């Protein structure tokens, strides 16, 4: 019997339940209720976000597939396409960090190879609470081990990403995993069924009781009893996934199948409902035929299990034998469990009995879309929020910033990931963007993940704008032009009007910036309910942007190359202080406004950098972000083989701390051989941006002068060691 | 020279290794499938890196039982050339074609990074195009690369000149810090007594093109290709 208690346990509202009754013309049975509950969960239905996401630009001449499929697809010419997407696995990673993160990797990989693309790179955006707490260290260690175990085993390089620390993630870490795949344009596959009579095959791992209702779990706040939810977290088997990857790509390459979809969130339910819904057909399956690893599973459990490494394939009846042969070669199950039918219904049998009989459109397309209450826009914070005393010891401040885990070296993390397998990785992790060559071509792909959640908390709209701008700037620094965007939007409980205000404004900001840059959004993921014990995380948009380099020889790398090179600053120094890592770390102040951003100016700076890169003028380029100019100059020294210092002379008429550590946007620090400087300054004039020589590379000291006075002098070695040791020192026994 | 790259289920450097021999070095190269019994008349069998059979029991422990490995054992006994890289090295240890065993890295973490290794013996079939003492910059990527052998065995390996590579610093010094995974005697690669089987933890296929940061791994490929 379905009573209010059962409805509550399925995380459905009374109104949603009544709508289900209307749509199917009767009371659902418990199994059917489970199906609706999973598919109508926030995680699967995007019911709170859909209304706002519509405004994102999704069109472009290079777009092969926009939002709505497993992943987006962009044409990169020469008959090739890239397939990419980002997904969150925040909730599972908090409950069980290792498996939560590992299955996050597994899930996004399937989204990519289910479309016919071979995954070529993983990046992740990770956010944790401060490392001073043992609990946060344990979560971070578990998450990194999980990513490393899965990605390394399956042989897809984890080439970069970001690791960011803030108190707000202590009870709600974020694990966003991005995957990029490469495919031939005429070998792309979709979640289609073709016509009635086609065979439905279940392939991959057997179904167990793990991960039942994972999607529903990820659509509610956490209280104190999250330990109880551990059985909701799936367990990953990267070896199985590797076999599944090879087998799926082989049946696709041999053109043996009609359509394919992975069983991710909501498991068998999701693929059984979505494939026919997209094709205007129905599906009939028999659960007795589903390979099971446990005895006595109920239809409810089989349908809602989120056991990993499984796919649903539709093939013409005459091709079934050939499909099964390929899977047998890889020692995998491929079992015919049903067929495509006319009439638009999802029919599920168990022990000869019809246990689910509902219209697929009701399950997939008719979930209510909400325009939840939005809090009124906040009054902008005063421009000058506080006037801290001018620092006396800027060298000490620089070291303090370099030791802040958000800024510090992440090599301790990246070296646990195999970032070189597949032999395409041209830039080691830590660069502004990861760069991967495309074999047998002159092209390379660049990828970056970016998002500053403090900016987004102070002003969600600016947070959205800056996340896009900075990700594109990262690409410009390696010489790549952006071609497509995916995003992972991590927010609190959407039933809180303040959270919905943040969401609405962030999406508006992102949308405006993507339009300004002319780059299409091809998909993404929304993760709401990032609240534990009533506290929401900062609004955290994570942008994943892919760029293309037409000529692999023009890749620009970060890091000073030779003593005597000239340092040029592109963009303008302005007196920004609030929202900076400097105020946060040194004064524990997180108030005021984020730095201002002007998209036209930003584009002009990036265009200058790109044109200079394409003309082969640059020896290095690095974007100014957290920690400002001083941190950027220090890092540029660290990234080079010789760890060179530099001498910079500045005469801007602004506060010295804002000049050194402020995070004014739209700036890039470039180095060139002196003979190329005039070429770069000329390009800057053409683009109407400010650019000037600020110093030269050399020596083993980072020295900055302001109006002729030494304001910062730090030996590169000291700075480097501080930056290098800041994260590993928290993990003393595991170095 | 005709090369055969073995594909186990779970191999993941198989494509890279094939690419290095076939596309970079332009050598005749074929695939060898773990379920087969044919070595397709190759002159050199290459066991690539990865996680054969998931490496769930112990790295390389299951792969040694695959049908193809029985052929490889005979091939090696007759003097055929066998190169094992990373997981391939682990398989060769499990097969008993090379002496010793691998433990978890001393810091109990997976480790992926460029390392320097010193060429200890340039008189082998795999290294004769290099010179003894030469330092090569080649990446590693493994969890179980901490080489172990009992003292008598170690002594014998050293006495026979079977150690081919040791972890070193950029100047070729054997320091504790440079021995990144804690291997005994800093061993990064070694041959069997006959000198026709070599295993190494670093990945030469990842260091065969300058655009990926180093082409030092080509020394091994060039040695194999050219006359000894």
């Amino acid at each position: 019997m379905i009573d209010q208690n059962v409805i509550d346990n399925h995380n459905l509202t009374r109104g949603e339940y009544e709508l289900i009754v209307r749509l199917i013309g009767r009371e659902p049975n418990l199994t059917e209720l489970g199906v609706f509950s999973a598919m109508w969960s926030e995680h699967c239905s995007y019911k709170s976000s859909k209304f706002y996401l519509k405004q994102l630009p999704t069109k472009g001449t290079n777009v092969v597939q926009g939002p709505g499929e497993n992943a987006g697809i962009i044409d990169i010419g020469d008959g090739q396409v890239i397939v990419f997407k980002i997904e969150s696995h925040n909730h599972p990673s908090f409950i069980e960090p290792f498996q939560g993160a590992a299955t996050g990797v597994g899930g996004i990989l399937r989204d990519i190879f289910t479309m016919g693309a071979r995954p070529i790179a993983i990046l992740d955006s990770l956010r944790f609470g401060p490392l001073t707490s043992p609990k946060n260290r344990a979560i971070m260690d578990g998450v990194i081990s999980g990513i490393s175990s899965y990605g390394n085993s399956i042989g897809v390089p984890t080439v970069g990403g970001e690791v960011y620390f803030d108190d707000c993630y202590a009870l709600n870490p974020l694990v966003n995993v991005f995957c990029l795949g490469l495919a031939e344009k005429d070998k792309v596959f979709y979640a289609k069924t073709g016509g009635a009579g086609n065979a439905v095959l279940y392939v991959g791992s057997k179904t167990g009781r793990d991960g039942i209702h994972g999607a529903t779990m990820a659509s509610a706040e956490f209280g104190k009893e999250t330990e109880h939810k551990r059985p909701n977290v799936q367990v990953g088997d990267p070896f199985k996934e590797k076999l599944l990857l090879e087998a799926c790509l082989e049946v696709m390459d041999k053109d043996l199948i009609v359509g394919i979809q992975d069983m991710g969130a909501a498991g068998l339910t999701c693929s059984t409902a979505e494939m026919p819904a997209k094709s205007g057909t129905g599906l009939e399956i028999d659960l007795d035929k589903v390979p099971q690893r446990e005895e006595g599973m109920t239809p409810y459990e089989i349908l809602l299990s989120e056991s990993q490494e499984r796919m649903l394939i539709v093939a013409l009846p005459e091709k079934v034998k050939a499909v099964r042969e390929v899977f047998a070669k890889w020692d995998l199950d491929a079992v015919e469990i049903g067929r495509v039918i006319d009439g638009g219904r999802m029919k599920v049998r168990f022990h000869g009995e019809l246990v689910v009989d509902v219209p697929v459109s009701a399950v997939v397309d008719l979930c209510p879309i909400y325009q939840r209450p939005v809090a009124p826009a906040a009054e902008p914070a005063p421009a000058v929020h506080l006037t801290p005393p001018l620092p006396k010891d800027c060298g000490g401040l620089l070291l303090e910033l370099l030791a802040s885990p958000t800024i510090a070296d992440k090599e301790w993390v990246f070296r646990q990931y195999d970032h070189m397998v597949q032999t395409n990785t041209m830039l080691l992790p830590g660069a502004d963007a990861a760069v991967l060559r495309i074999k047998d071509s002159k092209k390379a792909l660049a990828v970056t993940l970016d998002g500053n959640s403090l900016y987004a908390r102070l002003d969600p709209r600016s947070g959205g704008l800056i996340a896009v701008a900075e990700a594109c700037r990262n690409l410009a620094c390696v010489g790549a032009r952006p071609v497509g965007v995916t995003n992972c939007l991590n927010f609190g409980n959407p039933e809180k009007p303040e959270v919905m205000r943040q969401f609405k404004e962030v999406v508006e900001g992102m949308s405006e910036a993507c339009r300004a840059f002319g780059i299409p959004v091809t998909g993404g993921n929304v993760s709401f309910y990032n609240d534990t014990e009533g506290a929401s995380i900062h609004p955290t948009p994570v942008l994943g942007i892919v760029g293309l380099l037409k000529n692999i020889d023009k890749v620009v790398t970060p890091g000073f190359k030779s003593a005597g090179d000239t340092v040029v600053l592109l963009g303008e120094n302005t007196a920004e202080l609030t929202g900076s890592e400097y105020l946060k770390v040194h004064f524990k102040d997180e108030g005021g406004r984020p730095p201002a951003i002007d998209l036209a100016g930003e584009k002009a700076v990036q265009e200058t950098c790109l044109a200079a890169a394409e003309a082969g003028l640059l020896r290095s380029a690095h974007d100014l972000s957290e920690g400002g100019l001083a941190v950027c100059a220090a890092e540029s020294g660290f990234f080079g083989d010789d760890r060179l210092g530099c001498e910079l002379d500045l005469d801007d008429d602004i506060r010295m701390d804002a000049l050194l550590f402020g995070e004014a946007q739209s700036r890039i620090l470039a180095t060139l051989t002196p003979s190329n400087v005039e070429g770069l300054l000329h390009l800057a004039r053409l683009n109407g941006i400010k650019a000037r020589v600020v110093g030269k590379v050399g020596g083993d000291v980072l020295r900055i002068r302001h109006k002729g006075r030494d304001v910062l002098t730090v030996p590169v070695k000291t700075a480097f060691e501080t930056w290098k040791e800041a994260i590993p020192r928290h993990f003393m026994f595991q170095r | 020279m005709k090369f055969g790259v073995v594909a186990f289920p779970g191999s993941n450097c198989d494509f890279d290794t094939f690419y290095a021999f076939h596309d970079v070095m332009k050598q005749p190269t074929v695939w060898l499938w773990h379920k087969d019994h044919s070595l397709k008349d190759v002159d050199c069998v290459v066991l690539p890196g990865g996680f054969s059979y998931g490496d769930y029991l112990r790295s390389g422990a299951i792969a040694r039982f695959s049908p193809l490995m029985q052929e490889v054992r005979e091939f090696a006994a007759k003097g055929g050339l066998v190169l094992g890289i990373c997981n391939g090295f682990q398989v060769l240890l499990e097969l008993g074609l090379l002496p010793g065993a691998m433990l978890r890295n001393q810091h109990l973490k997976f480790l992926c990074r460029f390392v320097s290794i010193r060429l200890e013996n340039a008189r082998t079939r795999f290294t004769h195009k290099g010179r003894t003492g030469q330092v090569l910059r080649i990446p590693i990527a493994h969890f179980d690369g901490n080489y172990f052998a009992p003292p008598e065995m170690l002594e014998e390996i050293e006495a026979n000149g079977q150690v081919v590579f040791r972890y070193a610093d950029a100047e070729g010094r054997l320091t504790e810090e440079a021995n990144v995974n804690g291997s005994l005697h800093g061993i990064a690669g070694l041959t069997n007594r006959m000198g026709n089987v070599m295993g190494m933890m670093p990945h030469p296929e990842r260091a065969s093109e300058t655009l990926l940061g180093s082409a030092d791994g080509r020394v091994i490929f060039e040695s194999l290709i050219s006359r000894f």
Side-chain angles (χ1 to χ4, degrees), chain A residues 412-631:
Chain A
W412 183 84
V413 175
F414 291 127
R415 74 186 184 204
Q416 297 184 47
Y417 306 146
D418 188 340
H419 46 262
M420 303 186 208
V421 64
Q422 297 194 14
T423 56
N424 299 319
T425 311
M426 293 179 64
L427 293 187
L428 297 183
D432 293 74
V435 178
L436 302 138
R437 59 102 174 253
I438 300 176
K439 287 192 176 107
D440 307 317
S441 83
K442 284 296 273 182
K443 291 183 294 192
L445 296 167
V447 198
T448 183
L449 297 186
D450 219 300
N452 181 315
S453 61
L454 177 55
Y455 297 173
R457 183 177 72 75
L458 296 176
D459 176 2
R461 196 185 160 76
S462 294
L465 286 168
I466 292 176
V468 175
E470 187 171 341
C472 290
R473 201 186 312 140
N474 288 336
L475 295 179
C477 285
V478 298
R481 290 182 183 270
V483 293
V485 180
T486 184
N487 59 88
C488 199
L489 305 175
N490 307 274
F491 287 78
N493 181 345
E495 294 156 43
K496 295 179 183 168
E498 175 55 20
V499 170
M500 272 324 280
R501 175 187 77 88
Q502 294 171 338
F503 182 77
K504 170 177 174 280
E505 293 179 3
V506 162
V507 174
E508 284 168 1
M510 280 169 42
S511 183
E512 183 185 338
C514 288
R515 279 175 209 284
F517 282 98
I519 36 174
V521 177
T522 62
N525 172 239
V526 179
S527 172
F528 279 128
Y529 297 99
N530 289 291
D531 302 68
T532 300
E533 294 171 27
S536 306
I537 58 161
H538 290 349
T540 311
V542 174
L543 272 290
I545 306 195
V546 185
L548 183 64
L549 281 122
K550 292 228 168 88
N551 184 352
I552 209 163
D553 302 327
K554 306 290 186 189
V555 173
V556 181
T557 56
F560 294 149
K561 300 295 183 300
S562 322
D565 281 353
T566 305
V567 184
V568 172
L569 179 69
L570 302 180
E572 209 152 340
N573 295 324
T574 52
E576 296 285 2
L577 264 184
T578 52
S580 66
E581 190 72 9
Y582 160 58
L583 288 197
K584 179 176 160 180
V585 168
H586 192 68
F587 293 100
K588 312 280 174 259
D589 184 282
E590 299 183 25
R593 288 181 189 179
I597 172 109
D598 162 48
L599 290 177
E602 175 75 47
K603 272 185 75 178
V605 167
Q606 292 183 21
E607 187 50 47
T608 305
C609 184
L610 284 165
E614 284 158 6
L617 299 178
L618 305 180
R619 311 259 343 234
S620 81
H622 187 29
D623 115 278
L624 277 74
S625 58
E626 283 90 358
L629 178 64
V631 165

Side-chain angles (χ1 to χ4, degrees), chain A residues 667-681:
Chain A
R667 295 182 295 165
I668 291 172
L669 198 67
T671 63
L672 315 83
T673 49
S675 59
N676 284 334
V677 171
E678 195 37 54
L680 177 62
L681 298 180

